[in-house]
Amino acid sequence: MNGHADGPDLSAYLDGALAPEPRARVELHMASCADCRAELDSLRHLKLALSAAPRRNMPADLALALERRFVTGAQPWYAALSRKRVWVPAGALAVAAMTVSLWLRSAATIEEIPLEPLLAAHARYSAEALVPEDNLVASNYSDQLSDLSDASESDLQ
Amino acid sequence: MDRMEPQAFADLLRQAGDKAYNFAYRLAGNEQDARDLVQEAFARALEHAGSYDPSRAFDSWLLKILHNIFLDGARRLAYRRTVSLDAPAPVEDSSWEDILPAKDISAADELIRRESIDMVQLALERLPAHYKAAVVLCDVEGLSYDDIARIMDVPVGTIRSRIHQGRLLARKAYEELERSGGRRQ
Ligand SMILES: [Zn+2]
């Protein structure tokens, strides 16, 4: 290294991508060169600001579109998320989209996602015909659930 | 193979879905092109599943395919606006508070920092595609130089210089934005 540290070396140093020998050389040079320390500092701030970019996660509807296009068979792929196969009503798209969204946005492992209770509850409500099959839109669903709980409260009075 | 078992597909999506979409969005600069890129990348990946080396990470392989599709598109000028200097760049809500808790930062300082981050993001949008891809993969995705070299299909030495040049260009663009005192020129 004649004069100052090589630019790409400074970037690689910042990224932890420099082999031990060139790294030692860069460190030795920086110990006595305020200019290179300042340049490294500037690059570090830039890297920090770049890495603060908001991440764009895959939209749930895109995940569903991919699933429809690339997965074999009629069974929805989200059913495969649960170990124990549970029956999923065909109209469960809204619930599935919610689940996909939760799942895509969390770093959690599959085991940590409370999918089974969700689907089981869904299956139970559908089986008991509390919710008409063709009406399983998320908002309707929760409206009807709250209607039902209101109704049962007034029944008790 | 162009269709998969549900469990296998769920695994792929979990491993690579967000990464692919975020990379696509950064490259293309808008949601519709990002969606098209991701769909096409999955289609080609499954179509050419036979050439996938299972000892390599699937996400890197998918990003490589996605990058190639983007470059093909860029060559055909389909994504001309992303490499154009007067491209309108999306301004996103960056959550600076989430990244560095503002305990020791006054509200004014925080505002300045936040605006700086937005301007750095704008500067990133303005980079030519090769530099932008290298910088995004390094600084946004946090990938190693080796992985980036594999994805972009060039030697590691080229990646080293693209990352550094990309940062210098981003810094220059940032300084220009700051001088002009505005978000758009
Ligand atoms: Zn120096």
Side-chain angles (χ1 to χ4, degrees):
Chain A
M1 171 186 326
N2 46 1
H4 292 298
D6 186 35
D9 273 357
L10 281 182
S11 270
Y13 177 81
L14 185 63
D15 298 327
L18 219 46
E21 202 186 309
R23 190 174 66 218
R25 249 186 294 137
V26 166
E27 282 172 349
L28 186 66
H29 174 77
M30 279 194 301
S32 64
C33 180
D35 286 350
C36 283
R37 284 200 301 274
E39 176 67 0
L40 184 71
D41 224 36
S42 164
L43 290 172
R44 183 179 288 124
H45 280 101
L46 190 69
K47 183 180 170 74
L48 182 69
L50 286 168
S51 64
R55 287 190 60 89
R56 296 272 178 165
N57 288 331
M58 183 182 286
D61 66 315
L62 178 58
L64 284 171
L66 290 170
E67 179 265 326
R68 276 196 294 274
R69 189 167 160 192
F70 297 119
V71 168
T72 51
Q75 187 176 41
W77 64 268
Y78 47 81
L81 283 175
S82 94
R83 290 279 147 85
K84 198 171 56 185
R85 296 290 162 102
V86 290
W87 175 70
V88 182
L93 197 66
V95 175
M98 235 163 57
T99 312
V100 170
S101 157
L102 285 171
W103 164 64
L104 283 174
R105 272 155 187 71
S106 97
T109 60
I110 288 173
E111 286 75 15
E112 287 166 330
I113 296 171
L115 189 65
E116 286 188 8
L118 183 68
L119 292 179
H122 189 111
R124 184 158 47 81
Y125 285 122
S126 303
E128 290 169 12
L130 295 178
V131 181
E133 277 290 333
D134 58 352
N135 230 347
L136 288 178
V137 177
S139 58
N140 288 350
Y141 191 51
S142 37
D143 284 347
Q144 291 180 51
L145 283 181
S146 68
D147 287 346
L148 283 167
S149 69
D150 290 345
S152 53
E153 271 169 27
S154 54
D155 283 347
L156 289 173
Q157 285 167 359
Chain B
M1 175 185 65
D2 56 1
R3 290 176 86 82
M4 301 184 66
E5 290 302 314
Q7 179 67 66
F9 191 74
D11 287 345
L12 292 189
L13 209 54
R14 180 157 41 83
Q15 190 192 342
D18 285 346
K19 250 183 211 161
Y21 185 78
N22 192 48
F23 187 42
Y25 193 94
R26 288 280 152 207
L27 288 178
N30 70 81
E31 188 178 335
Q32 191 48 58
D33 286 342
R35 285 169 172 269
D36 292 349
L37 276 172
V38 168
Q39 291 236 29
E40 186 58 24
F42 268 96
R44 286 202 205 168
L46 299 188
E47 196 181 322
H48 300 289
S51 62
Y52 171 58
D53 171 4
S55 70
R56 298 258 187 245
F58 174 77
D59 50 0
S60 294
W61 190 62
L62 185 68
L63 292 188
K64 178 177 180 165
I65 292 170
L66 196 151
H67 184 243
N68 281 338
I69 297 167
F70 172 76
L71 289 184
D72 288 349
R75 277 185 207 111
R76 292 197 308 268
L77 302 182
Y79 297 102
R80 180 168 46 191
R81 60 188 172 284
T82 70
V83 292
S84 153
L85 278 178
D86 45 54
V91 179
E92 298 157 350
D93 287 329
S94 57
S95 47
W96 175 251
E97 305 90 321
D98 295 344
I99 299 149
L100 284 184
K103 280 176 197 149
D104 305 323
I105 304 173
S106 76
D109 282 349
E110 193 190 316
L111 190 65
I112 289 166
R113 280 165 188 269
R114 193 181 179 120
E115 281 178 355
S116 297
I117 287 183
D118 286 349
M119 280 208 281
V120 169
Q121 297 305 319
L122 274 183
L124 178 64
E125 295 288 340
R126 294 176 173 212
L127 294 187
H130 283 311
Y131 297 110
K132 180 156 64 172
V135 170
V136 165
L137 291 172
C138 180
D139 291 340
V140 182
E141 294 298 339
L143 299 182
S144 72
Y145 282 22
D146 284 342
D147 281 344
I148 300 170
R150 226 171 275 134
I151 289 167
M152 296 184 70
D153 214 11
V154 292
V156 175
T158 307
I159 291 303
R160 272 168 60 93
S161 76
R162 277 188 192 169
I163 288 172
H164 186 66
Q165 286 302 317
R167 284 177 181 155
L168 296 188
L169 287 170
R171 185 167 67 185
K172 191 158 168 273
Y174 171 79
E175 284 163 0
E176 279 164 12
L177 280 165
E178 203 177 35
R179 251 200 310 281
S180 75
R183 304 181 156 226
R184 302 279 163 85
Q185 280 180 331

